[in-house]
């Protein structure tokens, strides 16, 4: 499939994301203060989440809802489905699940540490994270034969770190900008919305692959 071509490196990933950053407008929403904006933990009602600033709460609402959808669609998936390849150039469902975790980890490093893009690294387990980030031949070689629990554990591990760190940020941090998508000013809100949008994109691919497994 055309939109499943492997990404060679993080630079090509960012280049492919330019269209999102170039046209995305994040409006400034004037929410009520934490004292009057009631906490609501219903996943289908976006709003205030306990421990988070107001607008970060909206971001967390979106992240939780999209992750709920991904996990729901992955539930009960077989090893055959996890490792199935449509053709020699495609990616497996397992690899794409790990790719979601790697992408979120990449944005953790960028937004929480401020490390420049050209100096980003994944530290320990570099091979598996790099393969998941770039997919392609490396992903097809390394990310196979692993149970669903492996991928779900990685997704959960990364997400828990994100949510812990976001509790320590305020709404002004969310609006801080750096040159990023297309070398244009891009705020942290846009970067983290991309994490949500990215999961939605690949979840559609996962559903399609599941439908094609013989």
């Amino acid at each position: 499939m055309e939109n499943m071509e492997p990404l060679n490196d993080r630079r090509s990933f960012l280049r492919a994301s330019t269209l999102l950053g170039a046209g995305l407008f994040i409006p400034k929403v004037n929410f009520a203060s934490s004292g009057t904006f009631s906490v609501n933990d219903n996943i289908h009602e976006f709003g205030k989440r306990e421990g988070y600033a107001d607008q970060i709460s909206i971001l967390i609402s979106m992240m939780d809802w999209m992750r709920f959808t991904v996990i729901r669609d992955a539930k009960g998936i077989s090893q055959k489905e996890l490792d199935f390849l449509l053709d020699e150039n495609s990616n497996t469902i397992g690899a794409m699940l790990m790719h979601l975790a790697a992408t979120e980890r990449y944005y953790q490093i960028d937004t929480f540490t401020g490390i420049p893009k050209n100096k980003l690294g994944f530290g320990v387990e570099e091979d598996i994270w790099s393969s998941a980030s770039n997919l392609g031949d490396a992903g097809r070689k390394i990310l196979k034969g692993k149970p669903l629990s492996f991928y779900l554990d990685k997704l959960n591990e990364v997400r828990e770190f994100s949510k812990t760190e976001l509790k320590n940020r305020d709404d002004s941090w969310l609006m801080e900008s750096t040159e990023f998508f297309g070398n244009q000013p891009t705020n942290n809100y846009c970067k983290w919305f991309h994490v949500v949008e990215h999961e939605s994109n690949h979840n559609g691919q996962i559903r399609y692959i599941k439908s094609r497994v013989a």
Side-chain angles (χ1 to χ4, degrees), residues 164-175:
T164 296
E165 288 295 310
L166 287 169
K167 278 189 175 180
N168 297 324
R169 269 70 182 179
D170 58 21
D171 288 341
S172 62
W173 172 87
L174 201 61
M175 296 303 177

Side-chain angles (χ1 to χ4, degrees), residues 41-195:
D41 60 3
N42 184 345
I43 194 170
H44 300 302
E45 294 181 313
F46 291 5
K48 182 66 176 177
R49 298 297 188 253
E50 186 173 1
Y52 298 97
D54 288 346
Q55 295 196 42
I56 291 179
S57 287
I58 302 299
L59 174 63
I60 291 294
S61 298
M62 293 188 288
M63 290 169 64
D64 284 348
W65 194 92
M66 192 63 241
R67 180 56 58 83
F68 167 82
T69 302
V70 171
I71 299 302
R72 180 195 62 195
D73 290 344
K75 186 177 181 180
I77 197 170
S78 67
Q79 193 65 51
K80 179 180 180 180
E81 291 172 314
L82 280 172
D83 294 337
F84 177 76
L85 284 169
L86 282 169
D87 56 56
E88 63 181 9
N89 294 315
S90 62
N91 299 299
T92 66
I93 291 176
M96 283 193 286
L97 289 172
M98 190 65 185
H99 177 67
L100 298 183
T103 298
E104 183 167 345
R105 196 162 184 259
Y106 169 78
Y107 281 94
Q108 289 174 350
I109 296 171
D110 178 82
T111 63
F112 297 152
T113 69
I115 297 174
K117 295 191 291 292
N118 63 350
K119 295 183 179 180
L120 285 172
F122 291 108
V124 296
E125 295 185 312
E126 177 71 30
D127 287 346
I128 194 168
W129 285 107
S130 179
S131 297
S133 181
N134 298 323
L135 295 176
D137 290 337
R140 285 186 284 273
K141 179 180 179 180
I142 294 177
L143 298 168
K144 63 180 181 180
K146 301 183 185 302
L148 177 61
S149 60
F150 171 84
Y151 302 110
L152 296 184
D153 286 348
K154 292 295 185 183
L155 284 165
N156 183 64
E157 173 189 336
V158 172
R159 178 52 55 87
E160 287 303 309
F161 183 77
S162 295
K163 295 177 79 168
T164 296
E165 288 295 310
L166 287 169
K167 278 189 175 180
N168 297 324
R169 269 70 182 179
D170 58 21
D171 288 341
S172 62
W173 172 87
L174 201 61
M175 296 303 177
E176 290 178 3
S177 289
T178 58
E179 289 189 0
F180 199 75
F181 290 126
N183 293 320
Q184 297 183 40
T186 308
N187 61 21
N188 290 324
Y189 208 150
C190 181
K191 293 177 183 180
W192 279 94
F193 174 78
H194 177 66
V195 172

